[in-house]
Structure formats: C-alpha cells, structure tokens
Coordinates of all heavy atoms in Angstrom, one line a residue:
M67 N -82.4 -66.7 -7.0 CA -83.8 -66.3 -7.2 C -84.7 -67.5 -6.9 O -84.4 -68.6 -7.1 CB -84.0 -65.9 -8.6 CG -83.1 -64.7 -9.1 SD -83.4 -63.1 -8.4 CE -85.0 -62.8 -8.9
E68 N -85.8 -67.1 -6.3 CA -86.8 -68.1 -6.0 C -87.7 -68.4 -7.2 O -88.1 -67.4 -7.9 CB -87.7 -67.7 -4.8 CG -88.8 -68.6 -4.4 CD -89.6 -68.1 -3.3 OE1 -89.3 -67.0 -2.7 OE2 -90.6 -68.8 -3.0
N69 N -88.0 -69.6 -7.5 CA -88.9 -70.0 -8.5 C -90.3 -69.7 -8.1 O -90.8 -70.5 -7.2 CB -88.7 -71.4 -9.0 CG -89.6 -71.8 -10.1 OD1 -90.4 -71.0 -10.6 ND2 -89.5 -73.1 -10.5
M70 N -91.0 -68.7 -8.6 CA -92.3 -68.3 -8.1 C -93.3 -69.3 -8.6 O -94.5 -69.4 -8.0 CB -92.6 -66.9 -8.5 CG -91.7 -65.9 -8.0 SD -91.4 -66.0 -6.2 CE -93.0 -65.5 -5.6
D71 N -93.0 -70.1 -9.6 CA -93.9 -71.2 -10.0 C -93.9 -72.4 -9.1 O -94.9 -73.2 -9.2 CB -93.6 -71.6 -11.4 CG -93.8 -70.6 -12.5 OD1 -94.4 -69.5 -12.1 OD2 -93.5 -70.8 -13.7
H72 N -92.9 -72.5 -8.3 CA -92.7 -73.7 -7.4 C -93.0 -75.0 -8.2 O -93.8 -75.8 -7.8 CB -93.6 -73.6 -6.2 CG -93.3 -72.3 -5.4 ND1 -92.2 -72.2 -4.6 CD2 -94.0 -71.2 -5.3 CE1 -92.1 -71.0 -4.1 NE2 -93.2 -70.4 -4.5
S73 N -92.4 -75.1 -9.4 CA -92.6 -76.2 -10.3 C -91.3 -76.7 -10.8 O -90.4 -75.8 -11.1 CB -93.5 -75.8 -11.4 OG -93.5 -76.7 -12.4
P74 N -91.1 -78.0 -11.1 CA -89.9 -78.5 -11.8 C -90.0 -78.2 -13.3 O -89.0 -78.5 -14.0 CB -89.9 -80.0 -11.4 CG -91.3 -80.3 -11.2 CD -92.0 -79.1 -10.6
N75 N -91.1 -77.8 -13.8 CA -91.4 -77.7 -15.2 C -91.4 -76.3 -15.7 O -91.4 -76.0 -16.9 CB -92.6 -78.4 -15.6 CG -92.6 -79.9 -15.2 OD1 -91.6 -80.5 -15.4 ND2 -93.7 -80.4 -14.7
S76 N -91.5 -75.3 -14.8 CA -91.5 -73.9 -15.3 C -90.9 -73.0 -14.2 O -90.7 -73.4 -13.1 CB -93.0 -73.5 -15.5 OG -93.7 -73.5 -14.4
Y77 N -90.6 -71.8 -14.7 CA -89.9 -70.9 -13.8 C -90.3 -69.5 -14.1 O -90.5 -69.1 -15.2 CB -88.4 -71.0 -14.0 CG -87.6 -70.2 -13.1 CD1 -87.2 -70.7 -11.9 CD2 -87.2 -68.9 -13.5 CE1 -86.4 -69.9 -11.0 CE2 -86.4 -68.1 -12.6 CZ -86.0 -68.6 -11.4 OH -85.3 -67.8 -10.6
S78 N -90.6 -68.8 -13.0 CA -90.8 -67.3 -13.1 C -90.2 -66.6 -11.9 O -90.0 -67.2 -10.9 CB -92.3 -67.0 -13.3 OG -93.0 -67.3 -12.1
M79 N -89.8 -65.4 -12.1 CA -89.2 -64.6 -11.0 C -90.1 -63.5 -10.5 O -90.9 -63.0 -11.3 CB -87.9 -63.9 -11.6 CG -86.9 -64.9 -12.0 SD -85.3 -64.2 -12.6 CE -85.8 -63.6 -14.2
D80 N -90.0 -63.2 -9.3 CA -90.7 -62.1 -8.7 C -90.0 -60.7 -9.0 O -88.8 -60.6 -8.8 CB -90.7 -62.3 -7.2 CG -91.4 -61.1 -6.4 OD1 -92.6 -61.0 -6.5 OD2 -90.6 -60.3 -5.8
L81 N -90.7 -59.8 -9.5 CA -90.1 -58.5 -9.9 C -89.4 -57.8 -8.8 O -88.4 -57.2 -9.0 CB -91.2 -57.6 -10.5 CG -91.5 -57.8 -12.0 CD1 -92.5 -56.8 -12.5 CD2 -90.2 -57.7 -12.8
D82 N -89.9 -57.9 -7.6 CA -89.2 -57.2 -6.4 C -87.8 -57.9 -6.2 O -86.8 -57.2 -5.9 CB -90.0 -57.3 -5.1 CG -91.2 -56.3 -5.1 OD1 -91.1 -55.3 -5.9 OD2 -92.1 -56.5 -4.4
Q83 N -87.8 -59.2 -6.3 CA -86.5 -59.9 -6.2 C -85.5 -59.5 -7.3 O -84.3 -59.3 -7.1 CB -86.7 -61.4 -6.2 CG -87.3 -62.0 -4.9 CD -87.3 -63.5 -4.9 OE1 -86.7 -64.2 -5.7 NE2 -88.2 -64.0 -4.1
V84 N -86.1 -59.4 -8.5 CA -85.3 -59.0 -9.7 C -84.7 -57.6 -9.4 O -83.5 -57.4 -9.6 CB -86.1 -59.0 -11.0 CG1 -85.3 -58.4 -12.1 CG2 -86.5 -60.4 -11.3
R85 N -85.5 -56.7 -9.0 CA -85.0 -55.3 -8.7 C -83.9 -55.3 -7.6 O -82.9 -54.6 -7.7 CB -86.2 -54.4 -8.2 CG -87.1 -54.0 -9.3 CD -88.1 -53.0 -8.9 NE -89.2 -52.9 -9.9 CZ -90.4 -53.5 -9.7 NH1 -90.7 -54.2 -8.7 NH2 -91.3 -53.3 -10.7
K86 N -84.1 -56.1 -6.6 CA -83.1 -56.2 -5.5 C -81.8 -56.7 -6.0 O -80.7 -56.2 -5.7 CB -83.6 -57.1 -4.4 CG -84.7 -56.4 -3.5 CD -85.2 -57.4 -2.4 CE -86.3 -56.7 -1.6 NZ -87.0 -57.6 -0.7
V87 N -81.9 -57.7 -6.9 CA -80.6 -58.3 -7.4 C -79.9 -57.2 -8.3 O -78.7 -57.0 -8.2 CB -80.9 -59.6 -8.2 CG1 -79.7 -60.0 -9.1 CG2 -81.3 -60.7 -7.3
F88 N -80.7 -56.5 -9.2 CA -80.1 -55.5 -10.0 C -79.5 -54.3 -9.2 O -78.5 -53.8 -9.5 CB -81.1 -55.0 -11.1 CG -81.1 -55.9 -12.3 CD1 -82.1 -56.8 -12.4 CD2 -80.2 -55.7 -13.3 CE1 -82.2 -57.6 -13.6 CE2 -80.2 -56.5 -14.4 CZ -81.2 -57.5 -14.6
D89 N -80.3 -54.0 -8.1 CA -79.7 -52.9 -7.2 C -78.4 -53.4 -6.6 O -77.5 -52.6 -6.5 CB -80.8 -52.6 -6.1 CG -82.0 -51.8 -6.6 OD1 -81.9 -51.3 -7.7 OD2 -83.0 -51.7 -5.9
L90 N -78.3 -54.6 -6.1 CA -77.1 -55.2 -5.5 C -76.0 -55.2 -6.5 O -74.9 -54.7 -6.2 CB -77.4 -56.6 -5.0 CG -76.2 -57.2 -4.2 CD1 -75.9 -56.4 -3.0 CD2 -76.6 -58.7 -3.9
V91 N -76.3 -55.6 -7.8 CA -75.3 -55.7 -8.8 C -74.8 -54.2 -9.1 O -73.5 -54.0 -9.1 CB -75.9 -56.3 -10.1 CG1 -74.9 -56.0 -11.3 CG2 -76.1 -57.8 -9.9
H92 N -75.7 -53.3 -9.1 CA -75.3 -51.9 -9.4 C -74.5 -51.3 -8.2 O -73.5 -50.7 -8.5 CB -76.6 -51.1 -9.7 CG -76.3 -49.7 -10.0 ND1 -75.8 -49.3 -11.3 CD2 -76.4 -48.5 -9.3 CE1 -75.6 -48.0 -11.3 NE2 -76.0 -47.5 -10.1
S93 N -74.9 -51.6 -7.0 CA -74.2 -51.0 -5.9 C -72.8 -51.6 -5.7 O -72.0 -50.9 -5.1 CB -75.0 -51.3 -4.6 OG -74.9 -52.7 -4.2
R94 N -72.6 -52.8 -6.3 CA -71.2 -53.3 -6.2 C -70.4 -52.9 -7.4 O -69.3 -53.4 -7.6 CB -71.3 -54.9 -6.1 CG -71.9 -55.4 -4.8 CD -72.0 -56.9 -4.9 NE -72.4 -57.4 -3.6 CZ -72.6 -58.7 -3.4 NH1 -72.4 -59.6 -4.4 NH2 -72.9 -59.1 -2.2
N95 N -71.0 -52.1 -8.3 CA -70.3 -51.7 -9.5 C -70.0 -52.9 -10.4 O -69.0 -53.0 -11.1 CB -69.0 -51.0 -9.2 CG -68.9 -49.7 -10.0 OD1 -69.8 -49.3 -10.7 ND2 -67.7 -49.1 -10.0
E96 N -70.9 -53.9 -10.3 CA -70.7 -55.1 -11.2 C -71.6 -55.0 -12.4 O -72.4 -54.1 -12.5 CB -71.1 -56.3 -10.3 CG -70.1 -56.5 -9.2 CD -70.4 -57.7 -8.3 OE1 -71.6 -58.2 -8.3 OE2 -69.6 -58.1 -7.5
E97 N -71.6 -56.1 -13.2 CA -72.3 -56.1 -14.4 C -72.9 -57.5 -14.6 O -72.2 -58.5 -14.3 CB -71.4 -55.8 -15.6 CG -72.1 -55.8 -16.9 CD -71.1 -55.5 -18.1 OE1 -69.9 -55.2 -17.8 OE2 -71.4 -55.6 -19.2
L98 N -74.2 -57.5 -15.0 CA -74.8 -58.8 -15.3 C -74.3 -59.4 -16.6 O -74.4 -58.7 -17.6 CB -76.3 -58.6 -15.4 CG -77.1 -59.9 -15.7 CD1 -77.0 -60.9 -14.5 CD2 -78.6 -59.6 -15.9
V99 N -73.6 -60.5 -16.6 CA -73.1 -61.1 -17.8 C -73.8 -62.4 -18.2 O -73.6 -62.9 -19.3 CB -71.6 -61.3 -17.7 CG1 -70.9 -59.9 -17.6 CG2 -71.2 -62.2 -16.6
G100 N -74.5 -63.0 -17.2 CA -75.1 -64.3 -17.5 C -76.1 -64.6 -16.5 O -76.1 -64.1 -15.4
I101 N -77.0 -65.5 -16.9 CA -78.0 -66.1 -16.0 C -78.0 -67.6 -16.1 O -77.9 -68.1 -17.3 CB -79.4 -65.6 -16.4 CG1 -79.5 -64.1 -16.1 CG2 -80.5 -66.3 -15.5 CD1 -80.9 -63.5 -16.6
Y102 N -78.1 -68.3 -15.0 CA -78.1 -69.8 -15.2 C -79.4 -70.3 -14.6 O -80.0 -69.6 -13.7 CB -76.9 -70.5 -14.6 CG -76.9 -70.5 -13.1 CD1 -77.5 -71.6 -12.4 CD2 -76.3 -69.5 -12.3 CE1 -77.5 -71.7 -11.0 CE2 -76.3 -69.6 -10.9 CZ -76.9 -70.7 -10.3 OH -76.9 -70.8 -8.9
H103 N -79.9 -71.4 -15.1 CA -81.0 -72.1 -14.5 C -80.9 -73.5 -14.8 O -80.0 -73.9 -15.6 CB -82.4 -71.5 -15.0 CG -82.7 -71.8 -16.4 ND1 -82.2 -71.1 -17.5 CD2 -83.5 -72.8 -16.9 CE1 -82.7 -71.5 -18.6 NE2 -83.5 -72.6 -18.3
S104 N -81.7 -74.4 -14.2 CA -81.5 -75.8 -14.4 C -82.8 -76.4 -15.1 O -83.9 -75.8 -15.0 CB -81.3 -76.5 -13.0 OG -82.5 -76.3 -12.2
H105 N -82.5 -77.5 -15.8 CA -83.6 -78.3 -16.3 C -83.5 -79.7 -15.6 O -82.6 -80.5 -15.9 CB -83.4 -78.5 -17.8 CG -83.7 -77.3 -18.6 ND1 -83.6 -77.3 -20.0 CD2 -84.1 -76.1 -18.3 CE1 -83.9 -76.1 -20.5 NE2 -84.3 -75.3 -19.4
P106 N -84.4 -79.9 -14.7 CA -84.3 -81.2 -13.9 C -84.4 -82.4 -14.7 O -83.8 -83.4 -14.4 CB -85.5 -81.0 -12.9 CG -85.8 -79.6 -12.8 CD -85.4 -79.0 -14.2
T107 N -85.2 -82.4 -15.8 CA -85.5 -83.6 -16.5 C -85.3 -83.5 -18.0 O -85.5 -84.5 -18.7 CB -86.9 -84.1 -16.3 OG1 -87.9 -83.1 -16.7 CG2 -87.2 -84.4 -14.8
T108 N -85.0 -82.4 -18.5 CA -84.8 -82.2 -20.0 C -83.3 -81.7 -20.2 O -82.6 -81.4 -19.3 CB -85.8 -81.2 -20.6 OG1 -85.6 -79.9 -19.9 CG2 -87.2 -81.7 -20.4
K109 N -83.0 -81.8 -21.5 CA -81.6 -81.5 -21.9 C -81.2 -80.1 -21.7 O -82.0 -79.2 -21.5 CB -81.3 -81.9 -23.3 CG -82.1 -81.1 -24.4 CD -81.9 -81.7 -25.8 CE -82.7 -80.9 -26.8 NZ -82.5 -81.4 -28.1
A110 N -79.9 -79.8 -21.8 CA -79.3 -78.5 -21.5 C -79.4 -77.7 -22.8 O -78.4 -77.4 -23.5 CB -77.9 -78.6 -21.0
Y111 N -80.6 -77.3 -23.2 CA -80.9 -76.6 -24.4 C -82.1 -75.7 -24.1 O -83.0 -76.1 -23.4 CB -81.2 -77.5 -25.6 CG -81.2 -76.7 -26.9 CD1 -80.0 -76.5 -27.6 CD2 -82.4 -76.2 -27.4 CE1 -80.0 -75.8 -28.8 CE2 -82.3 -75.5 -28.6 CZ -81.1 -75.3 -29.3 OH -81.1 -74.6 -30.4
P112 N -82.1 -74.4 -24.6 CA -83.3 -73.5 -24.3 C -84.6 -74.1 -24.7 O -84.7 -74.6 -25.8 CB -82.9 -72.3 -25.0 CG -81.5 -72.3 -25.2 CD -81.1 -73.7 -25.3
S113 N -85.6 -74.1 -23.8 CA -86.9 -74.5 -24.1 C -87.6 -73.5 -24.9 O -87.1 -72.3 -25.0 CB -87.7 -74.8 -22.8 OG -87.9 -73.6 -22.1
L114 N -88.8 -73.8 -25.4 CA -89.6 -72.8 -26.1 C -89.9 -71.6 -25.2 O -89.9 -70.5 -25.6 CB -90.9 -73.4 -26.6 CG -91.8 -72.6 -27.5 CD1 -91.0 -72.0 -28.7 CD2 -93.0 -73.3 -28.0
K115 N -90.2 -71.9 -23.9 CA -90.4 -70.8 -23.0 C -89.2 -70.0 -22.7 O -89.3 -68.8 -22.6 CB -90.9 -71.4 -21.6 CG -92.4 -71.7 -21.6 CD -92.8 -72.1 -20.2 CE -94.3 -72.4 -20.1 NZ -94.7 -72.8 -18.7
D116 N -88.0 -70.6 -22.6 CA -86.8 -69.9 -22.5 C -86.6 -68.9 -23.6 O -86.1 -67.8 -23.4 CB -85.5 -70.8 -22.5 CG -85.5 -71.7 -21.2 OD1 -86.1 -71.3 -20.2 OD2 -84.9 -72.8 -21.3
I117 N -86.9 -69.3 -24.8 CA -86.8 -68.5 -26.0 C -87.9 -67.4 -26.0 O -87.6 -66.2 -26.2 CB -86.8 -69.3 -27.3 CG1 -85.6 -70.3 -27.3 CG2 -86.8 -68.5 -28.5 CD1 -85.7 -71.4 -28.3
T118 N -89.1 -67.8 -25.8 CA -90.2 -66.9 -25.9 C -90.2 -65.8 -24.9 O -90.4 -64.6 -25.2 CB -91.5 -67.7 -25.7 OG1 -91.6 -68.7 -26.7 CG2 -92.7 -66.7 -25.9
Y119 N -89.8 -66.1 -23.6 CA -89.8 -65.1 -22.5 C -88.4 -64.6 -22.2 O -88.2 -64.1 -21.1 CB -90.5 -65.7 -21.3 CG -91.9 -66.2 -21.6 CD1 -92.3 -67.5 -21.7 CD2 -92.9 -65.2 -21.8 CE1 -93.6 -67.9 -22.0 CE2 -94.2 -65.6 -22.1 CZ -94.5 -66.9 -22.2 OH -95.8 -67.3 -22.5
N120 N -87.5 -64.7 -23.1 CA -86.2 -64.2 -22.9 C -86.1 -62.6 -22.9 O -86.4 -62.0 -23.9 CB -85.2 -64.7 -23.9 CG -83.8 -64.1 -23.8 OD1 -83.4 -63.7 -22.7 ND2 -83.2 -63.9 -24.9
N121 N -85.9 -62.1 -21.7 CA -85.8 -60.6 -21.6 C -84.4 -60.1 -21.7 O -84.1 -58.9 -21.5 CB -86.5 -60.1 -20.3 CG -87.9 -60.3 -20.4 OD1 -88.6 -60.1 -21.4 ND2 -88.5 -60.8 -19.2
Y122 N -83.4 -61.0 -21.8 CA -82.0 -60.6 -21.8 C -81.2 -61.2 -22.9 O -80.4 -62.1 -22.8 CB -81.4 -61.1 -20.4 CG -82.2 -60.6 -19.2 CD1 -83.1 -61.4 -18.6 CD2 -82.0 -59.3 -18.7 CE1 -83.8 -61.0 -17.5 CE2 -82.7 -58.9 -17.6 CZ -83.6 -59.7 -17.0 OH -84.4 -59.3 -16.0
P123 N -81.4 -60.6 -24.2 CA -80.7 -61.2 -25.3 C -79.2 -60.8 -25.3 O -78.5 -61.5 -26.1 CB -81.5 -60.5 -26.5 CG -82.0 -59.2 -26.0 CD -82.4 -59.6 -24.5
E124 N -78.8 -59.9 -24.5 CA -77.4 -59.5 -24.6 C -76.5 -60.3 -23.7 O -75.3 -60.1 -23.7 CB -77.3 -58.0 -24.2 CG -77.6 -57.6 -22.8 CD -79.1 -57.7 -22.4 OE1 -80.0 -57.8 -23.3 OE2 -79.4 -57.5 -21.2
I125 N -77.0 -61.2 -22.9 CA -76.2 -61.9 -22.0 C -76.2 -63.4 -22.3 O -76.9 -63.9 -23.1 CB -76.6 -61.7 -20.5 CG1 -78.0 -62.2 -20.3 CG2 -76.6 -60.2 -20.1 CD1 -78.5 -62.3 -18.8
T126 N -75.3 -64.1 -21.6 CA -75.2 -65.6 -21.8 C -76.2 -66.3 -20.8 O -76.3 -65.9 -19.7 CB -73.8 -66.0 -21.5 OG1 -72.9 -65.3 -22.3 CG2 -73.6 -67.5 -21.7
H127 N -76.8 -67.3 -21.4 CA -77.8 -68.1 -20.6 C -77.1 -69.5 -20.4 O -76.8 -70.2 -21.4 CB -79.1 -68.3 -21.4 CG -79.8 -66.9 -21.5 ND1 -80.7 -66.5 -20.6 CD2 -79.6 -66.0 -22.4 CE1 -81.2 -65.3 -21.0 NE2 -80.5 -65.0 -22.1
I128 N -76.9 -69.9 -19.2 CA -76.3 -71.1 -18.9 C -77.3 -72.1 -18.4 O -78.1 -71.7 -17.5 CB -75.1 -70.9 -17.8 CG1 -74.1 -70.0 -18.4 CG2 -74.5 -72.2 -17.4 CD1 -73.1 -69.4 -17.4
I129 N -77.4 -73.2 -18.9 CA -78.4 -74.2 -18.5 C -77.7 -75.5 -18.0 O -76.8 -76.0 -18.7 CB -79.3 -74.5 -19.7 CG1 -80.0 -73.3 -20.2 CG2 -80.4 -75.6 -19.3 CD1 -80.9 -73.5 -21.4
L130 N -78.1 -75.9 -16.8 CA -77.6 -77.1 -16.3 C -78.7 -78.2 -16.4 O -79.9 -77.9 -16.0 CB -77.3 -77.0 -14.8 CG -76.1 -76.1 -14.4 CD1 -76.4 -74.7 -14.5 CD2 -75.7 -76.4 -12.9
S131 N -78.4 -79.3 -17.0 CA -79.4 -80.4 -17.1 C -79.0 -81.5 -16.2 O -77.9 -82.0 -16.2 CB -79.4 -80.9 -18.5 OG -80.2 -82.1 -18.6
F132 N -80.0 -82.0 -15.4 CA -79.9 -83.1 -14.5 C -80.6 -84.3 -15.1 O -80.9 -85.3 -14.4 CB -80.4 -82.8 -13.1 CG -79.6 -81.7 -12.4 CD1 -79.9 -80.4 -12.5 CD2 -78.5 -82.1 -11.7 CE1 -79.1 -79.4 -11.9 CE2 -77.7 -81.1 -11.0 CZ -78.0 -79.8 -11.2
A133 N -80.9 -84.3 -16.4 CA -81.6 -85.4 -17.1 C -80.8 -86.7 -17.0 O -81.4 -87.8 -16.9 CB -82.0 -85.0 -18.5
H134 N -79.5 -86.6 -17.1 CA -78.7 -87.8 -17.2 C -77.9 -88.1 -15.9 O -77.5 -89.3 -15.7 CB -77.6 -87.7 -18.3 CG -78.3 -87.6 -19.7 ND1 -78.2 -86.4 -20.4 CD2 -79.0 -88.5 -20.4 CE1 -78.9 -86.6 -21.5 NE2 -79.4 -87.8 -21.6
S135 N -77.8 -87.1 -15.1 CA -77.1 -87.3 -13.8 C -77.6 -86.3 -12.7 O -77.7 -85.2 -13.1 CB -75.6 -87.2 -14.0 OG -74.9 -87.2 -12.7
K136 N -77.8 -86.8 -11.6 CA -78.2 -85.9 -10.5 C -77.0 -85.3 -9.8 O -77.1 -84.4 -9.0 CB -79.1 -86.6 -9.5 CG -80.4 -87.3 -10.0 CD -81.3 -86.2 -10.6 CE -82.5 -86.9 -11.2 NZ -83.1 -86.1 -12.4
I137 N -75.8 -85.9 -10.1 CA -74.6 -85.4 -9.4 C -73.8 -84.5 -10.3 O -73.3 -83.5 -9.8 CB -73.8 -86.7 -9.0 CG1 -74.6 -87.5 -8.0 CG2 -72.5 -86.2 -8.3 CD1 -74.0 -88.9 -7.7
Q138 N -73.6 -84.9 -11.5 CA -72.8 -84.1 -12.4 C -73.6 -83.7 -13.6 O -73.8 -84.4 -14.6 CB -71.6 -84.9 -12.9 CG -70.6 -84.1 -13.7 CD -69.3 -84.8 -13.9 OE1 -69.2 -86.0 -13.7 NE2 -68.3 -84.1 -14.4
P139 N -74.2 -82.5 -13.6 CA -75.1 -82.0 -14.6 C -74.4 -81.7 -15.9 O -73.2 -81.4 -15.9 CB -75.7 -80.7 -14.1 CG -74.7 -80.2 -13.1 CD -74.0 -81.4 -12.5
D140 N -75.1 -81.9 -17.0 CA -74.6 -81.3 -18.3 C -74.7 -79.8 -18.2 O -75.8 -79.3 -17.8 CB -75.4 -81.9 -19.5 CG -75.3 -83.4 -19.6 OD1 -74.2 -83.9 -19.3 OD2 -76.3 -84.0 -20.1
V141 N -73.7 -79.1 -18.7 CA -73.8 -77.6 -18.6 C -73.5 -77.1 -20.0 O -72.5 -77.4 -20.6 CB -72.7 -77.1 -17.7 CG1 -72.8 -75.6 -17.6 CG2 -72.9 -77.7 -16.3
E142 N -74.4 -76.3 -20.5 CA -74.2 -75.6 -21.8 C -74.6 -74.2 -21.7 O -75.4 -73.8 -20.8 CB -75.1 -76.3 -22.9 CG -74.9 -77.8 -23.1 CD -73.5 -78.1 -23.7 OE1 -72.8 -77.2 -24.3 OE2 -73.0 -79.3 -23.5
A143 N -74.1 -73.4 -22.6 CA -74.3 -72.0 -22.6 C -74.8 -71.5 -24.0 O -74.4 -72.1 -25.0 CB -73.1 -71.2 -22.2
F144 N -75.6 -70.5 -24.0 CA -76.2 -70.0 -25.2 C -76.4 -68.5 -25.1 O -76.6 -67.9 -24.1 CB -77.6 -70.6 -25.5 CG -77.6 -72.1 -25.4 CD1 -77.8 -72.8 -24.2 CD2 -77.3 -72.9 -26.5 CE1 -77.8 -74.2 -24.1 CE2 -77.3 -74.3 -26.5 CZ -77.5 -74.9 -25.3
Q145 N -76.5 -67.9 -26.3 CA -77.1 -66.6 -26.4 C -78.4 -66.8 -27.2 O -78.4 -67.6 -28.1 CB -76.1 -65.6 -27.2 CG -74.9 -65.2 -26.3 CD -74.2 -64.1 -26.8 OE1 -73.8 -64.0 -28.0 NE2 -73.9 -63.1 -25.9
I146 N -79.4 -66.1 -26.7 CA -80.7 -66.2 -27.3 C -81.1 -64.8 -27.9 O -81.3 -63.9 -27.1 CB -81.7 -66.7 -26.3 CG1 -81.3 -68.0 -25.7 CG2 -83.1 -66.9 -26.9 CD1 -82.1 -68.5 -24.5
K147 N -81.1 -64.7 -29.2 CA -81.4 -63.4 -29.8 C -82.7 -63.6 -30.7 O -82.6 -64.3 -31.7 CB -80.2 -62.9 -30.6 CG -79.0 -62.7 -29.8 CD -77.9 -62.1 -30.6 CE -76.6 -61.9 -29.8 NZ -76.7 -60.8 -28.8
G148 N -83.8 -63.2 -30.2 CA -85.1 -63.4 -30.9 C -85.3 -64.9 -30.8 O -85.3 -65.5 -29.7
V149 N -85.5 -65.5 -31.9 CA -85.7 -67.0 -31.9 C -84.4 -67.7 -32.2 O -84.5 -69.0 -32.3 CB -86.8 -67.4 -33.0 CG1 -88.2 -66.8 -32.6 CG2 -86.4 -67.0 -34.4
R150 N -83.4 -67.0 -32.4 CA -82.1 -67.7 -32.7 C -81.4 -68.1 -31.4 O -81.3 -67.3 -30.5 CB -81.1 -66.7 -33.5 CG -81.5 -66.5 -34.9 CD -80.5 -65.8 -35.7 NE -80.0 -64.6 -35.0 CZ -78.7 -64.2 -34.9 NH1 -77.8 -64.9 -35.5 NH2 -78.4 -63.1 -34.3
V151 N -81.0 -69.4 -31.3 CA -80.3 -69.9 -30.2 C -78.8 -70.1 -30.7 O -78.6 -70.9 -31.6 CB -80.9 -71.2 -29.7 CG1 -80.0 -71.8 -28.6 CG2 -82.3 -71.0 -29.2
I152 N -77.9 -69.4 -30.1 CA -76.5 -69.5 -30.5 C -75.7 -70.1 -29.4 O -75.6 -69.6 -28.3 CB -76.0 -68.0 -30.8 CG1 -76.9 -67.4 -31.8 CG2 -74.5 -68.1 -31.3 CD1 -76.8 -65.8 -31.8
P153 N -75.1 -71.3 -29.7 CA -74.3 -71.9 -28.6 C -73.1 -71.0 -28.3 O -72.5 -70.4 -29.2 CB -73.8 -73.2 -29.3 CG -74.8 -73.5 -30.4 CD -75.2 -72.1 -30.9
F154 N -72.8 -71.0 -27.0 CA -71.7 -70.2 -26.5 C -70.7 -71.0 -25.8 O -71.1 -71.7 -24.8 CB -72.3 -69.1 -25.5 CG -71.4 -68.0 -25.1 CD1 -71.2 -66.9 -25.9 CD2 -70.7 -68.1 -23.9 CE1 -70.3 -65.9 -25.5 CE2 -69.8 -67.1 -23.6 CZ -69.6 -66.0 -24.4
K155 N -69.5 -71.1 -26.3 CA -68.4 -72.0 -25.7 C -68.1 -71.5 -24.3 O -67.7 -70.3 -24.1 CB -67.2 -72.0 -26.6 CG -66.0 -72.7 -26.1 CD -66.2 -74.2 -26.2 CE -65.0 -74.9 -25.8 NZ -65.2 -76.3 -25.3
I156 N -68.1 -72.4 -23.4 CA -67.6 -72.1 -22.0 C -66.6 -73.2 -21.7 O -66.6 -74.3 -22.1 CB -68.8 -72.1 -21.0 CG1 -69.5 -73.4 -21.0 CG2 -69.7 -70.9 -21.2 CD1 -70.6 -73.5 -19.9
N157 N -65.7 -72.8 -20.9 CA -64.6 -73.8 -20.4 C -65.2 -74.5 -19.2 O -65.7 -73.9 -18.3 CB -63.3 -73.0 -20.0 CG -62.6 -72.5 -21.2 OD1 -62.7 -73.0 -22.3 ND2 -62.1 -71.3 -21.0
K158 N -65.2 -75.8 -19.3 CA -65.7 -76.6 -18.2 C -64.5 -77.2 -17.5 O -63.5 -77.5 -18.0 CB -66.6 -77.8 -18.8 CG -67.8 -77.2 -19.5 CD -68.6 -78.3 -20.2 CE -69.7 -77.7 -21.0 NZ -70.3 -78.7 -21.8
I159 N -64.7 -77.4 -16.1 CA -63.6 -77.9 -15.3 C -63.1 -79.2 -15.7 O -61.9 -79.5 -15.7 CB -64.1 -77.9 -13.8 CG1 -64.3 -76.5 -13.3 CG2 -63.1 -78.7 -12.9 CD1 -65.0 -76.4 -11.9
N160 N -64.0 -80.1 -16.2 CA -63.5 -81.5 -16.5 C -63.2 -81.6 -18.0 O -63.0 -82.7 -18.4 CB -64.6 -82.5 -16.1 CG -66.0 -82.2 -16.8 OD1 -66.1 -81.2 -17.4 ND2 -66.9 -83.1 -16.6
D161 N -63.1 -80.5 -18.7 CA -62.6 -80.6 -20.1 C -61.1 -80.7 -20.2 O -60.4 -80.3 -19.4 CB -63.1 -79.4 -20.9 CG -64.5 -79.5 -21.5 OD1 -65.1 -80.6 -21.3 OD2 -65.0 -78.6 -22.0
Ligands
ZN58 ZN1 -84.9 -73.5 -19.5

C-alpha cells in the first residue's frame, strides 16, 4: 500500500487501493490475518494514531521499528482492541 501522507511520521491508505487489495484477497480465496507497517524512528509499539484509527481489531498488527537499526528492524506484533494493546507472540527467524 502506498502511504498517502507521504510522510515518515504518519500513514493513511487510499480507499480504492484498500478495495483492490480486499478484492484480490477475496478472489484468491485468502483471508486477511494481519497488517504490518514500519516506524522509521520510534519503537515497535502501536502509536496513539495506530490505536485511535484502528479499523481492524480482529487481526494482528505487526510493527517494524528502524529506530535502532536500519538493517535489522525490531519486529513486534499486537492485537489492538479498543484502547487495549495486547502483545502477540510471533516466531522470529533469529530467535
Ligand atoms: Zn504505527
């Protein structure tokens, strides 16, 4: 997805792109199980905007943080239900 904000500090999606992705997922008989995005300069934890504008409480949100390394990001996963942020264990390749 293209970041329609064209900003390293915020992110928004174009509704037509979202519809196309959901159409593609549906046409492949697949299911949306998670969404990932990156935090270029902040930690791998949902921001206030991530929590406030979360439209997908039923799926896993994966956040990659490049705050400490531009090569090997910190990767964390969460479920966001209302204002509750619930860490979600994922297996990492280097664990
Ligand atoms: Zn975020």
Side-chain angles (χ1 to χ4, degrees):
M67 302 292 296
E68 180 181 352
N69 181 0
M70 300 310 292
D71 291 354
H72 301 287
S73 164
N75 302 317
S76 65
Y77 183 87
S78 66
M79 296 183 284
D80 176 74
L81 274 181
D82 284 340
Q83 286 185 20
V84 172
R85 284 189 197 100
K86 284 179 185 170
V87 169
F88 275 98
D89 287 347
L90 184 62
V91 168
H92 183 74
S93 72
R94 292 177 174 177
N95 227 8
E96 296 176 342
E97 180 183 355
L98 179 66
V99 295
I101 295 176
Y102 75 90
H103 70 278
S104 64
H105 286 180
T107 60
T108 58
K109 64 184 177 179
Y111 191 85
S113 69
L114 185 57
K115 279 186 175 179
D116 292 335
I117 297 166
T118 302
Y119 299 109
N120 173 32
N121 291 320
Y122 305 98
E124 69 283 356
I125 63 169
T126 302
H127 297 265
I128 299 165
I129 300 175
L130 290 75
S131 168
F132 293 91
H134 298 109
S135 171
K136 302 298 179 210
I137 299 167
Q138 188 169 9
D140 295 328
V141 181
E142 300 294 341
F144 306 90
Q145 289 194 311
I146 304 170
K147 297 183 180 291
V149 295
R150 288 189 309 139
V151 175
I152 305 157
F154 191 85
K155 175 77 174 152
I156 56 173
N157 292 324
K158 300 176 186 170
I159 291 172
N160 58 353
D161 274 357

